Amino acid sequence: MSQRVPTVRDVAARAGVSVGTVSKALNNRGQLREETRARVVAAARELGFRPNSLAQGLQSGRTYTVAVITTDRFGRFGNPLMLGVEDALGADRVSVFLCDTRDDPIREHHHAETLDERRVDGIIVAGRRKQTRAPLAVASGVPVVYVIAQSSDPSDFCVTTDDVGGGVLAARHLLASGRTRIGHITGPERFADPRERAAGLSSVLDSAGLDLAGGQVFYGEWSEDWGRRAAEMLLHAAPDTDAIFCGSDQIARGVVETLRDRRLRVPGDIAVVGFDNWEPMAAGCRPPLTTVDPNLREVGRVAATRLLDMIAGRPVEGGVETVPAWLMLRESTGVREAGA
């Protein structure tokens, strides 16, 4: 025979208080003496009592659930983002629904309707790249925070990465390493992310009185193949290049392959910096890549924290909050990881 599940009445009897006092103590509400609150918590722990989340939701008008709608089917950006979201929501014992739209507006609309029916407390909408999108079609009153992709409604709130700052970090690190002939190979020019990374790099080079090696930004695709081909183009245009900043770790892997084929040493002859700090790519490269980390975990944590503020009724002004990037130093710029 299984043991009977303890109830709130059992806790009240053990602590010598009313059922209402137990509710106040366990939900941290009302005016109670600290001694009484501690006695109730101790009784609940001794009995192994766990509050009924459904009952709590009915009482508070909340479901203690939040949804994350993402377009990242591969998890490259979504995984660190989710870690940050859970960092913030875990303390509030909030559960998370993860919905993948696969870049399909119809699928997104279906998810939005389903989440409305489930009465989630709030929604985080995460995009892979910086672009303006239509606001999510959800019932009025449901708080929504946007990540990376910004809503066209200026009253909506968005958390995003600092791509300009990431380019600045890469440039300053290369200059501090004694490099002065720095080339840049990156992704499609039609996207804001690569343009902003290039702008950050160029601003530092301009301040130092330096030009881009090769005389231009080499825009292309987010692939190793483009990294290989673009490296050949850059070295043909500027054989004296001594550093290459790449707009992604995938591109950087391709660049390193071309340099190796040309018997150029990394970092001895040419230093290489990537972008994303995508662990399988960056740490698996030979040599391991120094790379800009866009701090997606912190982006997720900030987004979830602001969403909790909205759910609690605390004011959150519309606009964009930018989370600073940071630089992960590895051997491709001559810096060994700690313990290496």
Side-chain angles (χ1 to χ4, degrees), residues 11-18 21-22 25-26 33-46:
V11 176
R14 172 68 68 94
V17 298
S18 68
T21 299
V22 171
L26 296 183
R33 290 190 303 171
E34 193 55 41
E35 176 191 347
T36 302
R37 193 183 304 277
R39 192 165 73 250
V40 171
V41 170
R45 186 179 298 115
E46 291 166 7

Side-chain angles (χ1 to χ4, degrees), residues 191-271:
F191 297 144
D193 316 55
R195 294 198 307 271
E196 290 182 4
R197 293 166 196 177
L201 170 67
S202 296
S203 68
V204 174
L205 294 183
D206 289 346
S207 297
L210 298 172
D211 295 322
L212 272 172
Q216 63 173 316
V217 175
F218 289 83
Y219 288 106
E221 299 302 322
W222 300 118
S223 69
E224 290 182 58
D225 179 63
W226 167 241
R228 287 189 288 268
R229 291 186 288 115
E232 292 284 3
M233 296 163 60
L234 171 59
L235 293 175
H236 177 76
D240 60 348
T241 297
D242 62 8
I244 303 175
F245 171 39
C246 303
S248 77
D249 294 338
Q250 278 182 288
I251 291 173
R253 282 282 290 262
V255 167
V256 169
E257 286 183 20
T258 289
L259 298 180
R260 185 185 302 119
D261 290 345
R262 281 174 162 253
R263 300 189 182 281
L264 292 168
R265 296 168 301 143
V266 177
D269 297 312
I270 299 180

